[in-house]
Amino acid sequence: MKYISTRGGCSDYGFKQVLLTGLAPDGGLFVPEQLPQFSASDMESFKQLSYPELALKIISPFVADEIPEADLSRIIHESYADFDDPAVAPLTQLGEREWVLELFHGPTLAFKDFALQVLGRLLDYVLTENDQRVVILGATSGDTGSAALEGCRHSDRVDIFILHPHQRVSDVQRKQMTTVPGDNVFNLAVEGNFDDCQRIVKAAFADQSFLPDGRQLVAVNSINWARILMQIVYYFSAALRLGAPQQAVSFSVPTGNFGDIYAGYLAKHMGLPIERLVVATNKNDILHRFVSANDYSATELNKTYSPSMDILVSSNFERYLFDLFDRNPQTLSGFMSGVGSQSLSVSDEQWQRVREEFDSASVDDETTCQLIAEVFATNGELLDPHTAVGLKAARECLAGRPEPAITLATAHPAKFSDAITAAGLPTPELPAHLADLFDREERYTVVANELAAVTDYIRQHARR
Ligand SMILES: *Cc1c(COP(=O)(O)O)cnc(C)c1O
């Protein structure tokens, strides 16, 4: 399997190279040259597999022969061993044709564990093979940071530095990052907002001369291909349990950077019978406006109860647009140069193709809280606000359809208790493995909102 960049400047990259590179050198994102296909009889044979066994089947063609199967299998099994549900990604039924796929049984209670548990181990494997050490640098508005720290902390080959905006993440989110043990783990609270953190990370990647001898930076943000790859698996897992390949299903996906739903799009194009894919957004609705009205113009950022979807520009959307533009890098670059402007759209013919592929909805905070209260009253299930956005969108877009509708439950409700309280419900309890979170010792350093403050810190603290 070879990988190419959406901007046309890189081809013939292998899986391991893509893993370590993150953003392609030409500024584009890596995508596979072509997608592996699974037939109905392949899928039939997957039905009795455990989650890690299924994951191995789905991702092997993408890794090709770059990692021996026995090693890949061990990495995957270790990654999901600590999940607190034997099914790893269990399904909960809410109505006759309505299901929720629980993706919050990993160590940090959000779906990002599915990818980052594997990514950390894959990095360690490849770095050991290369006898190489790297510095991981990332910015987080909440969930990515803790999942990345949990996924990478066991690797002696990495020093990981995560920036978060000082006093702008929830207490649970901060504690989940700053209580991770390990002398290769560093949390920096930047005196600025999330965009400032991202700007600093970008600048550090552009000029890495501050790093100790021979080190390079590695990105673990959602544009890393390996993260997308691991998310394809749970679409197959859920659909197979509800009757695929004979029975088709639909999915509704709470969307921020378009990573999670892009994985669903890939699953569909690998042969999984998915009827509809719903793009569920909160008030930050650029993707909903694009799907419903061919409007990709920029607006102001809104702060909502589902903060992991408070995003203005969805970085992974470029991967879908590349396909929409028939994989023409020039057309894509032209479109991308207009991102952020007051008016941006695609041709009518292209927009029709978007509408064949996706449905969409935008759900405001009030409706989100109402639905959390309603589902709790009806089913006794407590939804996190991101999941509630997804379920509301499913009910709007998929009502009356015959196939099972599966909403991705992207986080545990205890992680976002503000919305739960606003819905008039008691504060949810953290699961047992995090019950003492608030008693654990925190370690983090507050730094000025300046590139030099961060790069100086990294130079001083990256282990020799
Ligand atoms: C990251 C995140 C999302 C958005 O996922 P994308 O891949 O960025 O679309 C949704 N819900 C939760 C809880 C998240 O942490």
Side-chain angles (χ1 to χ4, degrees):
M1 169 83 58
K2 291 295 177 195
Y3 292 84
I4 57 173
S5 161
T6 53
R7 300 297 174 100
C10 315
S11 56
D12 245 15
Y13 273 62
F15 178 78
K16 286 192 245 180
Q17 240 179 324
V18 166
L19 179 74
L20 287 178
T21 312
L23 196 69
D26 65 355
L29 305 184
F30 285 111
V31 291
E33 210 164 34
Q34 78 256 351
L35 284 177
Q37 299 295 315
F38 292 119
S39 68
S41 66
D42 291 335
M43 285 185 260
E44 209 52 64
S45 74
F46 294 166
K47 281 196 172 196
Q48 56 283 352
L49 301 179
S50 69
Y51 191 91
E53 288 165 349
L54 175 67
L56 184 63
K57 292 281 184 202
I58 305 285
I59 76 165
S60 283
F62 291 96
V63 180
D65 42 15
E66 290 210 15
I67 298 176
E69 185 164 303
D71 293 338
L72 193 57
S73 174
R74 178 184 51 77
I75 288 169
I76 293 171
H77 277 86
E78 280 175 16
S79 298
Y80 297 113
D82 286 342
F83 279 53
D84 71 6
D85 190 289
V88 181
L91 279 162
T92 301
Q93 187 163 18
L94 295 183
E96 199 192 335
R97 282 184 293 274
E98 187 170 72
W99 302 79
V100 165
L101 180 63
E102 295 184 1
L103 301 176
F104 51 74
H105 292 278
T108 74
L109 313 182
F111 80 87
K112 293 184 169 74
D113 288 327
F114 276 82
L116 283 158
Q117 281 295 310
V118 182
L119 180 59
R121 289 174 172 84
L122 281 175
L123 281 174
D124 190 55
Y125 179 87
V126 174
L127 293 170
T128 304
E129 201 177 60
N130 295 354
D131 192 19
Q132 190 185 355
R133 302 169 62 106
V134 297
V135 171
I136 291 175
L137 174 62
T140 189
S141 56
D143 296 338
T144 299
S146 53
L149 291 163
E150 276 297 335
C152 299
R153 71 186 171 103
H154 296 294
S155 175
D156 201 38
R157 299 258 159 197
V158 308
D159 293 310
I160 176 164
F161 296 81
I162 297 292
L163 315 186
H164 72 264
H166 187 40
Q167 291 173 343
R168 291 182 202 226
V169 297
S170 77
D171 285 350
V172 173
Q173 287 181 320
R174 189 192 71 247
K175 287 268 182 182
Q176 280 190 307
M177 293 190 278
T178 60
T179 61
V180 173
D183 59 4
N184 59 339
V185 163
F186 304 92
N187 281 284
L188 297 179
V190 175
E191 291 177 312
N193 60 28
F194 174 59
D195 286 330
D196 295 324
C197 297
Q198 268 194 315
R199 194 172 36 75
I200 290 173
V201 168
K202 258 198 181 148
F205 269 86
D207 178 4
Q208 304 188 10
S209 56
F210 66 91
L211 288 172
D213 45 302
R215 299 288 187 88
Q216 72 174 73
L217 291 179
V218 167
V220 292
N221 56 8
S222 79
I223 56 120
N224 189 302
W225 165 254
R227 285 187 56 182
I228 303 286
L229 176 57
M230 296 317 301
Q231 292 168 204
I232 297 173
V233 178
Y234 46 71
Y235 287 90
F236 276 89
S237 161
L240 290 172
R241 269 177 291 155
L242 293 185
Q246 294 84 5
Q247 169 68 57
V249 299
S250 288
F251 285 97
S252 176
V253 187
T255 306
N257 266 321
F258 204 77
D260 210 1
I261 190 161
Y262 176 68
Y265 162 87
L266 294 177
K268 178 177 166 185
H269 290 272
M270 289 163 68
L272 189 65
I274 298 178
E275 287 286 338
R276 303 302 304 160
L277 279 169
V278 179
V279 175
T281 70
N282 60 25
K283 207 153 179 259
N284 298 295
D285 64 350
I286 181 168
L287 291 169
H288 168 58
R289 281 185 287 114
F290 182 66
V291 173
S292 63
N294 195 7
D295 170 14
Y296 203 67
S297 60
T299 50
E300 297 282 286
L301 190 69
N302 292 291
K303 199 170 155 11
T304 74
Y305 279 137
S306 42
S308 301
M309 300 166 13
D310 288 350
I311 281 166
L312 278 183
V313 176
S314 304
S315 49
N316 274 296
F317 199 51
E318 171 163 346
R319 288 188 157 113
Y320 168 67
L321 288 171
F322 185 54
D323 285 352
L324 181 66
F325 297 146
D326 299 319
R327 299 206 146 195
N328 182 322
Q330 282 75 39
T331 317
L332 177 73
S333 300
F335 184 89
M336 293 308 292
S337 65
V339 170
S341 66
Q342 291 310 306
S343 129
L344 189 59
S345 57
V346 295
S347 75
D348 269 353
E349 182 271 327
Q350 286 159 342
W351 183 49
Q352 286 311 322
R353 281 162 56 196
V354 174
R355 294 174 64 80
E356 280 160 28
E357 201 79 63
F358 300 106
D359 294 302
S360 72
S362 162
V363 181
D364 64 22
D365 274 351
E366 200 188 327
T367 314
T368 303
C369 292
Q370 273 168 8
L371 188 70
I372 291 172
E374 186 191 318
V375 170
F376 188 72
T378 313
N379 302 89
E381 290 290 333
L382 197 51
L383 302 182
D384 113 283
H386 305 79
T387 309
V389 167
L391 184 66
K392 183 71 192 174
R395 289 184 177 180
E396 265 182 47
C397 299
L398 304 175
R401 297 191 59 91
E403 74 278 3
I406 306 166
T407 296
L408 269 49
T410 50
H412 188 286
K415 215 166 172 174
F416 298 97
S417 56
D418 284 1
I420 311 296
T421 315
L425 299 172
T427 309
E429 280 183 22
L430 287 163
H433 75 276
L434 286 172
D436 66 342
L437 183 65
F438 281 84
D439 305 326
R440 293 182 196 170
E441 189 201 342
E442 287 191 74
R443 289 184 305 145
Y444 66 100
T445 306
V446 181
V447 295
N449 180 9
E450 282 162 22
L451 174 64
V454 172
T455 53
D456 285 349
Y457 186 92
I458 295 175
R459 187 175 33 242
Q460 284 156 19
H461 291 84
R463 295 166 310 160
R464 299 291 135 173

